Amino acid sequence: MSLPPPIELSSANGSGAAYAHGAHLTAWTPAGSDPVIWLSALARFKPGVAIRGGVPIVFPWFGAGRSGKLNPAHGFARTRVWDLASSAPEGDDVVAEFVLEGSGTDEPEFPYAFSARYEVRLGAALQLSLTVTNNDSQPFSYEEALHAYLRVGDVRQVVVEGLGGCSYLDQADPSGVRVRTQSGRVTFSGETDRIYGAAGQVRVVDPVLGRTLVIDKQNSASTVVWNPWIDKAASLEDFGDDEWPSMICIEGGNLREASVRLQPTETHTMRYSVRVDPSDSGE
Ligand code: TA6
């Protein structure tokens, strides 16, 4: 069983596509640029399965959650069907809005009434915003991330700027998760899986594609950097063995100690944007 076709998003400033399944953006190509969003050639498009690539919405927990015991991985939002509330041009942009409602009875691991609204704005930049509202009578906490897979020419030649001095959880360390401090720019020579305490701008300098991807965030205290490298990529059935050099995940979120807590009726909006700077000079 496959998915209904995606919603095509097109404007003078570029084009893209998003599925109601997971409110999952799977493509964005700004006018005059190469595609920015990466999608595995082995991605699966079927109910209940996360699409490999694009921008999965991680909610209401990250990985197996703070307890380390929650399923499905990265929460249920990316495998639920969201309602498409609207999709329309706005000037030279195009905007789509998706909604996911939780009654508090349909998710045993998250027994709270909530609503999530996700706005996708395709223009000269890709602008994403995730708004969560507590519709319950009790407070709740959640983790969130916009798990963006970005296309690069060769991750072995990519440099990531903007995280110097930030502490991070090293999830790829075979001895277990360790807290380290980033020294200068991030480069890649193996599996890299890090949750940074970082709220600021990140720049992905890509000399092969001759561009820098500039990521900005609002209300996001965590930045995740992930490349599976050879062995992890080979272990994933929906990730081609030779695809790992062509992508890097730079995820904006609020994870672990930075999880969001909402009192009844409170709401929180996290924003994440990507734009292309044609230079590859970095700092
Ligand atoms: O964001 C990094 C990460 O947590 C990695 O540990 C890896 O598991 C990745 O997410 C992909 O997770 P997924 O459940 O989509 O295979």
Side-chain angles (χ1 to χ4, degrees), residues 44-150:
R44 297 168 296 183
F45 297 88
K46 56 185 183 182
V49 176
I51 297 170
R52 178 66 65 190
V55 184
I57 297 174
V58 175
F59 174 84
W61 59 80
F62 183 89
R66 301 182 72 177
S67 67
K69 299 173 183 167
L70 298 182
N71 279 305
H74 286 336
F76 50 76
R78 65 178 181 169
T79 52
R80 293 290 180 276
V81 178
W82 292 51
D83 292 326
L84 177 64
S86 64
S87 173
E90 280 192 21
D92 286 342
D93 298 349
V94 58
V95 181
E97 188 163 51
F98 297 89
V99 176
L100 179 71
E101 300 281 351
S103 65
T105 57
D106 44 6
E107 298 296 348
E109 304 277 14
F110 192 76
Y112 307 103
F114 73 92
S115 58
R117 300 185 76 83
Y118 182 53
E119 180 184 281
V120 177
R121 178 180 291 269
L122 268 63
L126 171 65
Q127 300 176 73
L128 307 173
S129 64
L130 179 62
T131 298
V132 177
T133 301
N134 181 342
N135 297 332
D136 209 289
S137 58
Q138 56 184 317
F140 62 65
S141 297
Y142 64 93
E143 294 178 299
E144 60 183 349
L146 296 176
H147 193 301
Y149 287 74
L150 305 175

Side-chain angles (χ1 to χ4, degrees), residues 52 62 73-74 78 147 149 171 193 224 226 232 236 251:
R52 178 66 65 190
F62 183 89
H74 286 336
R78 65 178 181 169
H147 193 301
Y149 287 74
Q171 301 201 110
D193 190 351
V224 181
W226 180 57
K232 181 70 177 282
L236 297 170
E251 307 159 38

Side-chain angles (χ1 to χ4, degrees), residues 17 21 36 54 62 66 78 112 126 129 191-192 195 203 211 223 231 235 238 255 279:
H21 172 76
V36 172
F62 183 89
R66 301 182 72 177
R78 65 178 181 169
Y112 307 103
L126 171 65
S129 64
E191 180 182 358
T192 305
I195 301 174
R203 291 170 302 283
R211 69 184 185 186
T223 296
D231 293 345
S235 74
D238 59 350
L255 311 180
S279 69

